[in-house]
Amino acid sequence: MPVKYFTSKNTLIAAALLSLAACSRPAPKEAATPPAAAAVAVTVLKLQAAPIVLSDELPGRVAAFRTADIRPQVGGIVLRRQFEQGAEVQAGQKLFQLNPAPFQADVDSAAAALQHAVATAKRASSQADRLKPLVEADAISRQAYDDAVAQREQAVATVAQARAALARRRLDLAFASIEAPIAGRIGSELVTEGALVGLADATPMARIQQIDKVYVDVRQPAAALAALQASGSDSNGGADKLPVTILGADGQPHPVTGRILFSGISVDAGTGDAVIRVLVDNPQRQLLPGMFVRARIARAMQAHAVLLPQQAVLRSSDGQAQAWVLDGTHKASLTPIAVGDVVEHQYVVNGGLKAGDTVVIEGQERLQPGATAAPQPWKPAVVATAAAAKAR
């Protein structure tokens, strides 16, 4: 097969055609400049320092301020009950009446014995007085006079013994009327009319509890007592310095006031807890003995604390607390912080932030380090709800 050869003339023609094609192509366009990033809309809060009280909520049990079991001091038959069950009674008020007849008979017998002793003492005294001048005149022996004096002294002692016996019988007669030893609220009667009661009975006749003031015994880990004692809330440091609030089953505070009496006298070996006794005024009798409550016990007070809403705190993969902070030009930066106790859904800031810092509360997911933010004041949910209701 014959081979074809291109001449130099053909080569020149092809090169010219390629040059024309290249000149006809449009020049490439320059790349467009990207638009500036828009500011990220966020809500922010400017931190402020304020005094706060740090407290712990601990379970507790209510105990009566004073309790008295009504028991007889003499044995006898119950004639009648003299109080309304569940009512308030006063100290010295009559509660039960035992049959007084046997005790009255003992009083009469003791009174007769006293009269006999007094008469015997008078006769012995007169006998000694008559013998005294005779012994001085040597008309009788000294032994006879000494015997008369001894009989007189014995008669005087017998009178004293009879008086004491009469006083005891009168006391037994008084004990037949059983009175309230303390003021308070009395429960139901535990014996009825006609029952025979005695000193050895295991069951009391009734029970009185003073509950206008009550104790709340709170259990707290012994390790936490150091902070409580350092705060001055114990009995040695002044119990009125920090308050104690009693909470009901619904979590709402009772309208009562309390103060710590003592703490940490002993530690339960099984649980490691110590008992804190709180004295609570209970004028409305809302707290009843045996009731379980929660006590909010203040353990520290900070005069210049910084609080940060919980939703503003983020956590890194290693658990480090962080928060987005805006500078004076609204540039965002992610700052490590240290937080402590929670007070009303806000963290107590222990480090990393200070009063005057502007912290992002909502919109953190749209931020990047160095990004510019468009801040708006943050409004708590309660404030926002109230404003919306007012607008309606």
Side-chain angles (χ1 to χ4, degrees):
M1 177 177 183
V3 179
K4 295 182 179 179
Y5 295 95
F6 291 95
T7 64
S8 59
K9 183 178 180 179
N10 294 332
T11 302
L12 292 173
I13 296 173
L17 293 174
L18 291 173
S19 298
L20 292 173
C23 291
S24 63
R25 292 177 182 174
K29 297 181 179 179
E30 296 182 358
T33 302
V40 180
V42 294
T43 59
V44 298
L45 175 67
K46 189 173 184 179
L47 301 182
Q48 297 179 352
I52 63 169
V53 175
L54 301 180
S55 59
D56 296 323
E57 288 189 12
L58 302 170
R61 190 170 185 176
V62 180
F65 181 69
R66 289 194 295 177
T67 301
D69 287 342
I70 307 303
R71 297 180 182 275
Q73 294 180 292
V74 292
I77 301 295
V78 179
L79 288 183
R80 57 185 175 274
R81 168 174 55 84
Q82 298 175 293
F83 65 91
E84 292 294 333
Q85 301 179 77
E88 294 284 338
V89 297
Q90 301 300 320
Q93 179 177 333
K94 296 183 184 301
L95 302 179
F96 292 96
Q97 178 62 55
L98 304 183
N99 185 7
F103 307 108
Q104 184 62 55
D106 291 340
V107 169
D108 296 341
S109 176
L114 175 60
Q115 290 180 355
H116 181 271
V118 169
T120 302
K122 288 182 178 180
R123 185 184 62 179
S125 179
S126 299
Q127 181 68 15
D129 291 342
R130 284 194 299 268
L131 295 180
K132 184 176 180 180
L134 296 177
V135 72
E136 292 176 352
D138 292 330
I140 59 173
S141 66
R142 188 72 184 183
Q143 180 65 42
Y145 177 72
D146 291 342
D147 290 344
V149 172
Q151 290 177 358
R152 182 184 62 186
E153 298 300 327
Q154 290 178 355
V156 171
T158 301
V159 170
Q161 185 177 10
R163 291 186 189 279
L166 177 60
R168 176 61 190 179
R169 298 311 175 192
R170 286 175 175 171
L171 191 60
D172 290 343
L173 178 60
F175 286 157
S177 179
I178 300 174
E179 300 176 350
I182 63 172
R185 179 171 294 178
I186 193 168
S188 60
E189 62 174 359
L190 302 179
V191 297
T192 60
E193 289 86 347
L196 175 62
V197 296
L199 300 179
D201 292 348
T203 303
M205 303 177 70
R207 179 174 289 114
I208 299 175
Q209 297 182 99
Q210 182 179 347
I211 58 175
D212 57 341
K213 294 185 290 186
V214 295
Y215 295 122
V216 175
D217 293 329
V218 179
R219 304 186 70 86
Q220 185 180 46
L225 287 179
L228 181 66
Q229 293 170 351
S231 68
S233 293
D234 61 355
S235 57
N236 296 326
D240 295 330
K241 291 185 178 180
L242 295 178
V244 177
T245 303
I246 305 301
L247 307 178
D250 56 355
Q252 297 299 318
H254 282 287
V256 295
T257 58
R259 62 184 181 91
I260 295 177
L261 291 181
F262 62 84
S263 61
I265 288 182
S266 61
V267 177
D268 191 325
T271 63
D273 293 339
V275 174
I276 302 173
R277 170 153 282 193
V278 180
L279 178 61
V280 180
D281 292 328
N282 189 35
Q284 303 300 324
R285 276 68 169 176
Q286 293 181 342
L287 300 178
L288 301 178
M291 181 183 294
F292 285 97
V293 296
R294 296 189 67 84
R296 183 180 295 159
I297 299 179
R299 55 178 166 80
M301 180 178 289
Q302 295 185 10
H304 303 285
V306 177
L307 298 178
L308 181 63
Q310 288 180 300
Q311 59 264 45
V313 178
L314 306 177
R315 296 285 178 177
S316 62
S317 58
D318 59 354
Q320 172 65 51
Q322 299 172 322
W324 285 98
V325 181
L326 301 185
D327 61 12
T329 61
H330 298 168
K331 296 292 185 181
S333 61
L334 192 58
T335 303
I337 62 174
V339 294
D341 295 83
V342 176
V343 179
E344 296 181 355
H345 307 290
Q346 299 183 89
Y347 282 114
V348 178
V349 178
N350 295 331
L353 296 173
K354 63 182 183 302
D357 288 344
T358 302
V359 181
V360 177
I361 307 300
E362 297 172 341
Q364 304 99 318
E365 67 279 359
R366 299 189 294 271
L367 290 175
Q368 295 294 332
T372 302
Q376 295 293 330
W378 175 71
K379 295 181 180 180
V382 175
V383 176
T385 302
K390 186 176 181 181
R392 292 177 186 175

